[in-house]
Amino acid sequence: ENKVLRTVPLLAACLPKDKCKVKIGRRFSEERDPELSTVCRKSGTLILYPGADAANLEEFILDSPVYPSTIIIIDGTWSQAKDIFYKNSLFRLPKQVQLKTSISSQYVIRMQPTNRCLSTLECAAVALSILEKNSYIQETLLRPLRALCSFQLQHGAQIRLSKEHLLKNGLYPKPMPKNKRKLRKMELLMNSVKI
């Protein structure tokens, strides 16, 4: 929430106020947030979160008896998003979907774990383009992100390559972790295995 490099403020500024609701927090429950609980229980609600149980969004909408009207996207670092998803049972009520896309992140001033990881704004742009069957939406939503990155690069920011790219090319500046779990994640990144 306090990081200047978040993309959610850009997303909220690009979408009509009544079409984008931002909830701040890490824990959500039916008691504390009945509005979110109602949204999560609707058959037309999806949650965009990659994982073994997630359906490909494009394939899902072809077969879905109810066309999705709401999509929940968790914002945060990758570890924060994982924590929020697994510690909030409300987020397991909607159908879980993921993006199967080959595009690389245009958010070049932030380091991503892999070449296929996208910022929250990029995920929303791709998902909304798929749901609305309109690629112009993706282009429109990504224009401010490209402008932000261009401005930052002109004023001293550096292009940040993904951790995966740095590891594969022997450019990762930090020593390899001693923790076996973290070391295993690094090895998976180097071998392009989906984590």
Side-chain angles (χ1 to χ4, degrees), residues 45-57 60 72 85-86 91-99:
T45 299
L46 303 175
I47 186 159
L48 185 62
Y49 187 81
D53 297 332
N56 176 356
L57 178 59
F60 175 77
I72 297 171
F85 180 77
Y86 284 105
F91 293 148
R92 282 184 294 297
L93 296 174
K95 176 65 180 167
Q96 185 181 347
V97 294
Q98 61 186 338
L99 301 173

PDB file of all heavy atoms in Angstrom, residues 45-57 60 72 85-86 91-99:
ATOM      1  N   THR A  45     -18.558 -14.144 -10.338  1.00  0.00           N
ATOM      2  CA  THR A  45     -17.298 -13.606  -9.821  1.00  0.00           C
ATOM      3  C   THR A  45     -16.164 -14.602 -10.042  1.00  0.00           C
ATOM      4  O   THR A  45     -16.311 -15.794  -9.797  1.00  0.00           O
ATOM      5  CB  THR A  45     -17.410 -13.280  -8.315  1.00  0.00           C
ATOM      6  OG1 THR A  45     -18.424 -12.296  -8.127  1.00  0.00           O
ATOM      7  CG2 THR A  45     -16.103 -12.760  -7.758  1.00  0.00           C
ATOM      8  N   LEU A  46     -15.036 -14.087 -10.501  1.00  0.00           N
ATOM      9  CA  LEU A  46     -13.814 -14.880 -10.681  1.00  0.00           C
ATOM     10  C   LEU A  46     -12.718 -14.281  -9.812  1.00  0.00           C
ATOM     11  O   LEU A  46     -12.768 -13.100  -9.479  1.00  0.00           O
ATOM     12  CB  LEU A  46     -13.353 -14.833 -12.137  1.00  0.00           C
ATOM     13  CG  LEU A  46     -14.324 -15.297 -13.206  1.00  0.00           C
ATOM     14  CD1 LEU A  46     -13.725 -15.053 -14.592  1.00  0.00           C
ATOM     15  CD2 LEU A  46     -14.670 -16.758 -13.023  1.00  0.00           C
ATOM     16  N   ILE A  47     -11.734 -15.094  -9.463  1.00  0.00           N
ATOM     17  CA  ILE A  47     -10.538 -14.572  -8.816  1.00  0.00           C
ATOM     18  C   ILE A  47      -9.345 -14.941  -9.691  1.00  0.00           C
ATOM     19  O   ILE A  47      -9.197 -16.091 -10.098  1.00  0.00           O
ATOM     20  CB  ILE A  47     -10.363 -15.051  -7.355  1.00  0.00           C
ATOM     21  CG1 ILE A  47      -9.172 -14.329  -6.716  1.00  0.00           C
ATOM     22  CG2 ILE A  47     -10.230 -16.557  -7.253  1.00  0.00           C
ATOM     23  CD1 ILE A  47      -9.180 -14.317  -5.204  1.00  0.00           C
ATOM     24  N   LEU A  48      -8.555 -13.941 -10.018  1.00  0.00           N
ATOM     25  CA  LEU A  48      -7.380 -14.141 -10.858  1.00  0.00           C
ATOM     26  C   LEU A  48      -6.209 -14.451  -9.944  1.00  0.00           C
ATOM     27  O   LEU A  48      -5.676 -13.574  -9.277  1.00  0.00           O
ATOM     28  CB  LEU A  48      -7.107 -12.876 -11.687  1.00  0.00           C
ATOM     29  CG  LEU A  48      -5.996 -12.953 -12.708  1.00  0.00           C
ATOM     30  CD1 LEU A  48      -6.300 -14.003 -13.774  1.00  0.00           C
ATOM     31  CD2 LEU A  48      -5.780 -11.599 -13.365  1.00  0.00           C
ATOM     32  N   TYR A  49      -5.868 -15.731  -9.890  1.00  0.00           N
ATOM     33  CA  TYR A  49      -4.748 -16.165  -9.065  1.00  0.00           C
ATOM     34  C   TYR A  49      -4.217 -17.474  -9.653  1.00  0.00           C
ATOM     35  O   TYR A  49      -4.960 -18.450  -9.759  1.00  0.00           O
ATOM     36  CB  TYR A  49      -5.178 -16.373  -7.605  1.00  0.00           C
ATOM     37  CG  TYR A  49      -4.002 -16.656  -6.710  1.00  0.00           C
ATOM     38  CD1 TYR A  49      -3.208 -15.627  -6.235  1.00  0.00           C
ATOM     39  CD2 TYR A  49      -3.649 -17.962  -6.385  1.00  0.00           C
ATOM     40  CE1 TYR A  49      -2.096 -15.880  -5.447  1.00  0.00           C
ATOM     41  CE2 TYR A  49      -2.543 -18.230  -5.600  1.00  0.00           C
ATOM     42  CZ  TYR A  49      -1.777 -17.182  -5.127  1.00  0.00           C
ATOM     43  OH  TYR A  49      -0.672 -17.446  -4.353  1.00  0.00           O
ATOM     44  N   PRO A  50      -2.956 -17.487 -10.081  1.00  0.00           N
ATOM     45  CA  PRO A  50      -2.429 -18.701 -10.721  1.00  0.00           C
ATOM     46  C   PRO A  50      -2.276 -19.847  -9.734  1.00  0.00           C
ATOM     47  O   PRO A  50      -2.064 -19.637  -8.552  1.00  0.00           O
ATOM     48  CB  PRO A  50      -1.058 -18.242 -11.248  1.00  0.00           C
ATOM     49  CG  PRO A  50      -0.669 -17.121 -10.353  1.00  0.00           C
ATOM     50  CD  PRO A  50      -1.945 -16.450  -9.947  1.00  0.00           C
ATOM     51  N   GLY A  51      -2.412 -21.041 -10.221  1.00  0.00           N
ATOM     52  CA  GLY A  51      -2.240 -22.213  -9.372  1.00  0.00           C
ATOM     53  C   GLY A  51      -2.766 -23.461 -10.039  1.00  0.00           C
ATOM     54  O   GLY A  51      -3.345 -23.410 -11.126  1.00  0.00           O
ATOM     55  N   ALA A  52      -2.583 -24.571  -9.364  1.00  0.00           N
ATOM     56  CA  ALA A  52      -2.977 -25.872  -9.918  1.00  0.00           C
ATOM     57  C   ALA A  52      -4.483 -25.953 -10.172  1.00  0.00           C
ATOM     58  O   ALA A  52      -4.930 -26.623 -11.099  1.00  0.00           O
ATOM     59  CB  ALA A  52      -2.537 -26.986  -8.978  1.00  0.00           C
ATOM     60  N   ASP A  53      -5.290 -25.269  -9.354  1.00  0.00           N
ATOM     61  CA  ASP A  53      -6.740 -25.327  -9.495  1.00  0.00           C
ATOM     62  C   ASP A  53      -7.297 -24.255 -10.427  1.00  0.00           C
ATOM     63  O   ASP A  53      -8.509 -24.189 -10.634  1.00  0.00           O
ATOM     64  CB  ASP A  53      -7.409 -25.181  -8.120  1.00  0.00           C
ATOM     65  CG  ASP A  53      -7.052 -26.323  -7.191  1.00  0.00           C
ATOM     66  OD1 ASP A  53      -6.765 -27.435  -7.692  1.00  0.00           O
ATOM     67  OD2 ASP A  53      -7.043 -26.114  -5.964  1.00  0.00           O
ATOM     68  N   ALA A  54      -6.446 -23.400 -10.953  1.00  0.00           N
ATOM     69  CA  ALA A  54      -6.915 -22.281 -11.768  1.00  0.00           C
ATOM     70  C   ALA A  54      -7.137 -22.708 -13.218  1.00  0.00           C
ATOM     71  O   ALA A  54      -6.311 -23.375 -13.823  1.00  0.00           O
ATOM     72  CB  ALA A  54      -5.901 -21.139 -11.714  1.00  0.00           C
ATOM     73  N   ALA A  55      -8.271 -22.304 -13.752  1.00  0.00           N
ATOM     74  CA  ALA A  55      -8.590 -22.553 -15.161  1.00  0.00           C
ATOM     75  C   ALA A  55      -8.023 -21.413 -16.005  1.00  0.00           C
ATOM     76  O   ALA A  55      -7.895 -20.286 -15.521  1.00  0.00           O
ATOM     77  CB  ALA A  55     -10.100 -22.626 -15.348  1.00  0.00           C
ATOM     78  N   ASN A  56      -7.717 -21.705 -17.244  1.00  0.00           N
ATOM     79  CA  ASN A  56      -7.300 -20.671 -18.178  1.00  0.00           C
ATOM     80  C   ASN A  56      -8.516 -19.770 -18.423  1.00  0.00           C
ATOM     81  O   ASN A  56      -9.584 -20.253 -18.802  1.00  0.00           O
ATOM     82  CB  ASN A  56      -6.829 -21.327 -19.472  1.00  0.00           C
ATOM     83  CG  ASN A  56      -6.458 -20.323 -20.548  1.00  0.00           C
ATOM     84  OD1 ASN A  56      -6.607 -19.118 -20.384  1.00  0.00           O
ATOM     85  ND2 ASN A  56      -5.984 -20.842 -21.656  1.00  0.00           N
ATOM     86  N   LEU A  57      -8.361 -18.465 -18.214  1.00  0.00           N
ATOM     87  CA  LEU A  57      -9.485 -17.531 -18.329  1.00  0.00           C
ATOM     88  C   LEU A  57     -10.155 -17.614 -19.695  1.00  0.00           C
ATOM     89  O   LEU A  57     -11.385 -17.667 -19.782  1.00  0.00           O
ATOM     90  CB  LEU A  57      -9.020 -16.095 -18.048  1.00  0.00           C
ATOM     91  CG  LEU A  57     -10.075 -15.000 -18.188  1.00  0.00           C
ATOM     92  CD1 LEU A  57     -11.254 -15.242 -17.254  1.00  0.00           C
ATOM     93  CD2 LEU A  57      -9.459 -13.639 -17.941  1.00  0.00           C
ATOM     94  N   PHE A  60     -12.112 -20.831 -19.907  1.00  0.00           N
ATOM     95  CA  PHE A  60     -13.210 -20.851 -18.945  1.00  0.00           C
ATOM     96  C   PHE A  60     -14.429 -20.088 -19.457  1.00  0.00           C
ATOM     97  O   PHE A  60     -15.561 -20.564 -19.349  1.00  0.00           O
ATOM     98  CB  PHE A  60     -12.751 -20.283 -17.595  1.00  0.00           C
ATOM     99  CG  PHE A  60     -13.870 -20.174 -16.602  1.00  0.00           C
ATOM    100  CD1 PHE A  60     -14.337 -21.300 -15.948  1.00  0.00           C
ATOM    101  CD2 PHE A  60     -14.475 -18.950 -16.347  1.00  0.00           C
ATOM    102  CE1 PHE A  60     -15.387 -21.211 -15.037  1.00  0.00           C
ATOM    103  CE2 PHE A  60     -15.521 -18.849 -15.448  1.00  0.00           C
ATOM    104  CZ  PHE A  60     -15.976 -19.984 -14.787  1.00  0.00           C
ATOM    105  N   ILE A  72     -11.744 -10.518  -9.248  1.00  0.00           N
ATOM    106  CA  ILE A  72     -10.951 -10.084  -8.093  1.00  0.00           C
ATOM    107  C   ILE A  72      -9.488 -10.320  -8.432  1.00  0.00           C
ATOM    108  O   ILE A  72      -9.112 -11.406  -8.863  1.00  0.00           O
ATOM    109  CB  ILE A  72     -11.332 -10.884  -6.825  1.00  0.00           C
ATOM    110  CG1 ILE A  72     -12.798 -10.607  -6.453  1.00  0.00           C
ATOM    111  CG2 ILE A  72     -10.395 -10.539  -5.667  1.00  0.00           C
ATOM    112  CD1 ILE A  72     -13.338 -11.509  -5.365  1.00  0.00           C
ATOM    113  N   PHE A  85      -4.179 -14.747  -0.494  1.00  0.00           N
ATOM    114  CA  PHE A  85      -5.052 -15.760  -1.101  1.00  0.00           C
ATOM    115  C   PHE A  85      -5.308 -16.919  -0.142  1.00  0.00           C
ATOM    116  O   PHE A  85      -6.448 -17.324   0.065  1.00  0.00           O
ATOM    117  CB  PHE A  85      -4.452 -16.271  -2.406  1.00  0.00           C
ATOM    118  CG  PHE A  85      -5.308 -17.311  -3.077  1.00  0.00           C
ATOM    119  CD1 PHE A  85      -6.443 -16.946  -3.764  1.00  0.00           C
ATOM    120  CD2 PHE A  85      -4.970 -18.657  -3.006  1.00  0.00           C
ATOM    121  CE1 PHE A  85      -7.246 -17.906  -4.381  1.00  0.00           C
ATOM    122  CE2 PHE A  85      -5.762 -19.621  -3.615  1.00  0.00           C
ATOM    123  CZ  PHE A  85      -6.908 -19.239  -4.305  1.00  0.00           C
ATOM    124  N   TYR A  86      -4.259 -17.469   0.453  1.00  0.00           N
ATOM    125  CA  TYR A  86      -4.416 -18.662   1.277  1.00  0.00           C
ATOM    126  C   TYR A  86      -4.970 -18.394   2.665  1.00  0.00           C
ATOM    127  O   TYR A  86      -5.548 -19.281   3.280  1.00  0.00           O
ATOM    128  CB  TYR A  86      -3.096 -19.434   1.358  1.00  0.00           C
ATOM    129  CG  TYR A  86      -2.833 -20.186   0.078  1.00  0.00           C
ATOM    130  CD1 TYR A  86      -1.877 -19.741  -0.827  1.00  0.00           C
ATOM    131  CD2 TYR A  86      -3.579 -21.301  -0.268  1.00  0.00           C
ATOM    132  CE1 TYR A  86      -1.660 -20.414  -2.026  1.00  0.00           C
ATOM    133  CE2 TYR A  86      -3.379 -21.967  -1.459  1.00  0.00           C
ATOM    134  CZ  TYR A  86      -2.418 -21.525  -2.330  1.00  0.00           C
ATOM    135  OH  TYR A  86      -2.219 -22.182  -3.515  1.00  0.00           O
ATOM    136  N   PHE A  91     -11.681 -15.924  -0.622  1.00  0.00           N
ATOM    137  CA  PHE A  91     -11.083 -15.918  -1.949  1.00  0.00           C
ATOM    138  C   PHE A  91     -11.063 -17.295  -2.603  1.00  0.00           C
ATOM    139  O   PHE A  91     -10.672 -17.429  -3.754  1.00  0.00           O
ATOM    140  CB  PHE A  91      -9.677 -15.323  -1.915  1.00  0.00           C
ATOM    141  CG  PHE A  91      -9.679 -13.855  -1.594  1.00  0.00           C
ATOM    142  CD1 PHE A  91      -8.633 -13.298  -0.893  1.00  0.00           C
ATOM    143  CD2 PHE A  91     -10.723 -13.033  -1.984  1.00  0.00           C
ATOM    144  CE1 PHE A  91      -8.626 -11.940  -0.596  1.00  0.00           C
ATOM    145  CE2 PHE A  91     -10.726 -11.675  -1.689  1.00  0.00           C
ATOM    146  CZ  PHE A  91      -9.671 -11.133  -0.995  1.00  0.00           C
ATOM    147  N   ARG A  92     -11.488 -18.307  -1.883  1.00  0.00           N
ATOM    148  CA  ARG A  92     -11.593 -19.618  -2.510  1.00  0.00           C
ATOM    149  C   ARG A  92     -13.032 -19.936  -2.917  1.00  0.00           C
ATOM    150  O   ARG A  92     -13.311 -20.992  -3.454  1.00  0.00           O
ATOM    151  CB  ARG A  92     -10.990 -20.677  -1.603  1.00  0.00           C
ATOM    152  CG  ARG A  92      -9.453 -20.606  -1.737  1.00  0.00           C
ATOM    153  CD  ARG A  92      -8.708 -21.638  -0.983  1.00  0.00           C
ATOM    154  NE  ARG A  92      -8.782 -21.569   0.463  1.00  0.00           N
ATOM    155  CZ  ARG A  92      -8.328 -20.565   1.217  1.00  0.00           C
ATOM    156  NH1 ARG A  92      -7.805 -19.515   0.672  1.00  0.00           N
ATOM    157  NH2 ARG A  92      -8.415 -20.616   2.518  1.00  0.00           N
ATOM    158  N   LEU A  93     -13.936 -18.997  -2.701  1.00  0.00           N
ATOM    159  CA  LEU A  93     -15.326 -19.184  -3.129  1.00  0.00           C
ATOM    160  C   LEU A  93     -15.502 -18.944  -4.639  1.00  0.00           C
ATOM    161  O   LEU A  93     -16.155 -19.740  -5.303  1.00  0.00           O
ATOM    162  CB  LEU A  93     -16.265 -18.265  -2.338  1.00  0.00           C
ATOM    163  CG  LEU A  93     -16.337 -18.527  -0.824  1.00  0.00           C
ATOM    164  CD1 LEU A  93     -17.185 -17.462  -0.145  1.00  0.00           C
ATOM    165  CD2 LEU A  93     -16.884 -19.911  -0.546  1.00  0.00           C
ATOM    166  N   PRO A  94     -14.937 -17.865  -5.201  1.00  0.00           N
ATOM    167  CA  PRO A  94     -15.098 -17.669  -6.653  1.00  0.00           C
ATOM    168  C   PRO A  94     -14.275 -18.675  -7.448  1.00  0.00           C
ATOM    169  O   PRO A  94     -13.325 -19.268  -6.925  1.00  0.00           O
ATOM    170  CB  PRO A  94     -14.553 -16.254  -6.898  1.00  0.00           C
ATOM    171  CG  PRO A  94     -14.343 -15.639  -5.567  1.00  0.00           C
ATOM    172  CD  PRO A  94     -14.231 -16.756  -4.580  1.00  0.00           C
ATOM    173  N   LYS A  95     -14.607 -18.841  -8.697  1.00  0.00           N
ATOM    174  CA  LYS A  95     -13.829 -19.699  -9.591  1.00  0.00           C
ATOM    175  C   LYS A  95     -12.449 -19.072  -9.773  1.00  0.00           C
ATOM    176  O   LYS A  95     -12.318 -17.892 -10.059  1.00  0.00           O
ATOM    177  CB  LYS A  95     -14.544 -19.842 -10.944  1.00  0.00           C
ATOM    178  CG  LYS A  95     -13.765 -20.626 -11.968  1.00  0.00           C
ATOM    179  CD  LYS A  95     -13.581 -22.063 -11.544  1.00  0.00           C
ATOM    180  CE  LYS A  95     -12.799 -22.830 -12.601  1.00  0.00           C
ATOM    181  NZ  LYS A  95     -12.337 -24.115 -12.136  1.00  0.00           N
ATOM    182  N   GLN A  96     -11.414 -19.881  -9.596  1.00  0.00           N
ATOM    183  CA  GLN A  96     -10.035 -19.421  -9.728  1.00  0.00           C
ATOM    184  C   GLN A  96      -9.592 -19.548 -11.182  1.00  0.00           C
ATOM    185  O   GLN A  96      -9.702 -20.616 -11.777  1.00  0.00           O
ATOM    186  CB  GLN A  96      -9.129 -20.257  -8.821  1.00  0.00           C
ATOM    187  CG  GLN A  96      -7.703 -19.809  -8.761  1.00  0.00           C
ATOM    188  CD  GLN A  96      -6.861 -20.710  -7.858  1.00  0.00           C
ATOM    189  OE1 GLN A  96      -7.382 -21.518  -7.095  1.00  0.00           O
ATOM    190  NE2 GLN A  96      -5.561 -20.575  -7.962  1.00  0.00           N
ATOM    191  N   VAL A  97      -9.106 -18.439 -11.742  1.00  0.00           N
ATOM    192  CA  VAL A  97      -8.640 -18.434 -13.125  1.00  0.00           C
ATOM    193  C   VAL A  97      -7.229 -17.848 -13.196  1.00  0.00           C
ATOM    194  O   VAL A  97      -6.781 -17.169 -12.278  1.00  0.00           O
ATOM    195  CB  VAL A  97      -9.589 -17.637 -14.058  1.00  0.00           C
ATOM    196  CG1 VAL A  97     -10.943 -18.313 -14.172  1.00  0.00           C
ATOM    197  CG2 VAL A  97      -9.724 -16.193 -13.604  1.00  0.00           C
ATOM    198  N   GLN A  98      -6.559 -18.139 -14.307  1.00  0.00           N
ATOM    199  CA  GLN A  98      -5.230 -17.581 -14.531  1.00  0.00           C
ATOM    200  C   GLN A  98      -5.108 -17.200 -16.000  1.00  0.00           C
ATOM    201  O   GLN A  98      -5.901 -17.625 -16.828  1.00  0.00           O
ATOM    202  CB  GLN A  98      -4.140 -18.560 -14.129  1.00  0.00           C
ATOM    203  CG  GLN A  98      -4.141 -19.868 -14.893  1.00  0.00           C
ATOM    204  CD  GLN A  98      -3.121 -20.848 -14.320  1.00  0.00           C
ATOM    205  OE1 GLN A  98      -2.176 -20.469 -13.661  1.00  0.00           O
ATOM    206  NE2 GLN A  98      -3.336 -22.120 -14.577  1.00  0.00           N
ATOM    207  N   LEU A  99      -4.093 -16.400 -16.279  1.00  0.00           N
ATOM    208  CA  LEU A  99      -3.836 -15.969 -17.650  1.00  0.00           C
ATOM    209  C   LEU A  99      -2.797 -16.885 -18.268  1.00  0.00           C
ATOM    210  O   LEU A  99      -1.777 -17.161 -17.657  1.00  0.00           O
ATOM    211  CB  LEU A  99      -3.321 -14.528 -17.667  1.00  0.00           C
ATOM    212  CG  LEU A  99      -4.239 -13.480 -17.052  1.00  0.00           C
ATOM    213  CD1 LEU A  99      -3.533 -12.136 -16.981  1.00  0.00           C
ATOM    214  CD2 LEU A  99      -5.535 -13.376 -17.844  1.00  0.00           C
TER     215      LEU A  99
END
